Amino acid sequence: MHMGDKPDLDLISNLPQSIIESILTYLPIGDAVRTSCLSRKWRYKWTTLTHLVFDEKCVAQTGDQVAVEKSLVNFITRALFLHQGPIHKFQVCTSILQSCPDIDQWILFISRNGIKEVVLELGEDGEWFRVPWCLFHCERLTRLDLFRCELDPPPCFKGFPCLKSLNLHQVLVAPEAIESLISSCPLLETLSLSYFDSLALNICAPNLKHLCLEGEFKDISLENTPLLVDLSVALYMTDENGENPEHSSNCKFIKFLGGIPRLERLVGHIYFTKYLSIGKDPGVLPITYNHLKIIELYQVSFEDMKEILVVLRLITNSPNLKELQLSGSSLTSMESPDLDFWEKEGPSDCTFHKLKVVKMTDISGLPHEMEFIKFLLRKSPVLEVMSIMPCVFVTMEARLIIVTELLSFTRASPKAGIVFIQD
């Protein structure tokens, strides 16, 4: 640089466009758009952004909700109108925006611009929006997240050939349409379905790795999911999926967990073990879960022999289990017959060679709970921690009895520490 030259202080403006786009991508869309005010050179820098993520922070929160909603709609419409080039991600997450005709126009616009990811989460009040058919023409779509909407694929829809992630939350859709949607996405790896009512579901997804289900499911069958590694389930029981004579021979355990040999992590929330216990006891399982390392089961009823059997069948067929977390259901009665069950059903040849951590919560001191803890301590030679947290309704006197009993149990592991956690 010569002595008379003035230094170029605007170093950012002279960066390559690709780097400027990367910088703008990390800004909220509202701030990215505001860079157009910096100078003439910056006026249209933001218009080639490939990721467009909108929420209510894009606009000033002044006036009533109707005014803010109108302002947000105008902002998104104008941003799309001025945009140039491909749009890879389009996301609208806001509680203030309800169903409106503009949404159809937005989706039509992005469907013509090589869209890969769509996330739509609108407000809970008011009418739900109906997903326009043009979305089903987005053949490059890799991720689709829809919240609180109606979904009705057109008759000619053949599936999303590139879709890897599908998340439907409170979505009104016909059962046959959702099964068809899942099975017609050959690359699907992540599936999340939540808040569905009385849905009977057969899942056929040969590349599926992560599955999350939450809602009222009458029946669930993992028909073809051999690569599944991560499963989380929360079931809300209805009278329809309670046990009845029709289902007495229909083993839910095998139907649901019988074909997923690569499972690594299993989380079963409310009613999960109850659901798996419906039907005939599978006895010796046709599958060994060699990859299953973490099991979390919540609200297990230790007064129901069939539920205890489900837990035993599961953990004794998981030779590489490292961490087990269980919570008991709320206290109902202290009477637990069939205590000789543990001599008959607790496999004498079973050893948990990898189990290091056991967490038991909401424990009431029921006889079968204590027998289960005794069984684990006796069969876990490398156990490091057994933590016990009593149910809030357990009195101090009952807690003392539980602790005394725990300390009397034989431990296979010399390192096993029992931690009793007060509230």
Side-chain angles (χ1 to χ4, degrees), residues 345-360:
E345 295 293 344
S348 55
D349 58 343
C350 162
T351 304
F352 302 107
H353 291 287
K354 303 284 180 71
L355 187 61
K356 290 186 175 181
V357 177
V358 176
K359 298 176 184 175
M360 305 279 291

Side-chain angles (χ1 to χ4, degrees), residues 10 32 109 113 115 137 233 293 331 366 397:
D10 191 4
F109 183 85
N113 285 271
I115 192 71
H137 297 144
V233 188
K293 295 181 177 69
L331 182 63
L366 294 170
E397 185 182 0

Side-chain angles (χ1 to χ4, degrees), residues 49 78 94 143 174 185 242 258 335 352:
L49 286 175
R78 182 165 170 76
T94 171
R143 175 191 174 191
C185 300
E335 292 180 20
F352 302 107

Side-chain angles (χ1 to χ4, degrees), residues 69-104:
E69 182 179 344
K70 187 178 179 182
S71 179
L72 180 59
V73 168
N74 290 339
F75 180 86
I76 297 173
T77 301
R78 182 165 170 76
L80 291 175
F81 178 73
L82 292 171
H83 191 273
Q84 303 173 59
I87 299 172
H88 293 157
K89 180 176 182 179
F90 179 72
Q91 176 173 317
V92 181
C93 293
T94 171
S95 60
I96 62 170
L97 187 58
Q98 310 302 330
S99 177
C100 64
D102 303 83
I103 298 172
D104 290 6

Side-chain angles (χ1 to χ4, degrees), residues 151-385:
L151 190 67
D152 182 22
C156 61
F157 179 60
K158 295 291 190 291
F160 294 115
C162 302
L163 197 71
K164 290 189 174 182
S165 175
L166 177 63
N167 177 11
L168 303 180
H169 176 89
Q170 283 184 285
V171 173
L172 293 173
V173 57
E176 59 275 10
I178 197 166
E179 285 187 7
S180 175
L181 175 61
I182 293 166
S183 62
S184 61
C185 300
L187 301 184
L188 194 64
E189 293 181 359
T190 300
L191 174 63
S192 180
L193 305 175
S194 51
Y195 290 93
F196 282 80
D197 295 330
S198 297
L199 182 64
L201 187 65
N202 292 318
I203 296 178
C204 179
N207 281 299
L208 194 66
K209 293 178 181 176
H210 309 275
L211 176 61
C212 180
L213 300 172
E214 182 177 2
E216 289 182 1
F217 291 94
K218 284 190 291 188
D219 199 22
I220 311 171
S221 175
L222 301 185
E223 205 168 82
N224 181 14
T225 56
L227 302 185
L228 198 62
V229 296
D230 189 4
L231 175 60
S232 176
V233 188
L235 294 171
Y236 306 120
M237 295 285 271
T238 63
D239 293 337
E240 294 177 84
N241 61 4
E243 187 170 5
N244 61 53
E246 287 181 310
H247 290 135
S248 57
S249 61
N250 184 3
C251 178
K252 302 288 189 188
F253 192 116
I254 298 300
K255 198 173 181 183
F256 194 41
L257 297 181
I260 43 177
R262 297 199 186 183
L263 194 62
E264 295 176 13
R265 178 175 175 266
L266 172 64
V267 180
H269 292 279
I270 183 169
Y271 290 122
F272 181 64
T273 50
K274 176 75 72 184
Y275 177 80
L276 292 183
S277 72
I278 294 173
K280 200 173 176 184
D281 172 37
V284 179
L285 296 184
I287 185 173
T288 301
Y289 302 102
N290 286 312
H291 303 274
L292 191 52
K293 295 181 177 69
I294 298 172
I295 296 177
E296 297 177 28
L297 300 173
Y298 296 92
Q299 295 204 321
V300 177
S301 173
F302 280 92
E303 295 173 296
D304 186 331
M305 296 295 101
K306 295 188 77 175
E307 282 194 54
I308 297 172
L309 259 180
V310 162
V311 176
L312 280 178
R313 295 275 183 262
L314 195 54
I315 65 174
T316 55
N317 278 273
S318 306
N320 294 304
L321 185 65
K322 286 186 175 179
E323 185 174 324
L324 175 64
Q325 186 164 336
L326 290 182
S327 78
S329 61
S330 52
L331 182 63
T332 50
S333 86
M334 292 299 285
E335 292 180 20
S336 294
D338 304 326
L339 280 175
D340 59 341
F341 164 88
W342 293 95
E343 296 300 322
K344 293 185 293 183
E345 295 293 344
S348 55
D349 58 343
C350 162
T351 304
F352 302 107
H353 291 287
K354 303 284 180 71
L355 187 61
K356 290 186 175 181
V357 177
V358 176
K359 298 176 184 175
M360 305 279 291
T361 57
D362 283 326
I363 296 304
S364 306
L366 294 170
H368 283 300
E369 286 176 344
M370 303 309 289
E371 288 292 328
F372 181 70
I373 293 168
K374 184 197 289 186
F375 170 73
L376 290 176
L377 287 171
R378 206 172 62 240
K379 300 289 186 178
S380 309
V382 297
L383 189 69
E384 293 175 2
V385 178

Side-chain angles (χ1 to χ4, degrees), residues 406-418:
L406 285 172
L407 294 174
S408 72
F409 292 159
T410 303
R411 303 175 210 181
S413 169
K415 294 192 295 181
I418 297 177

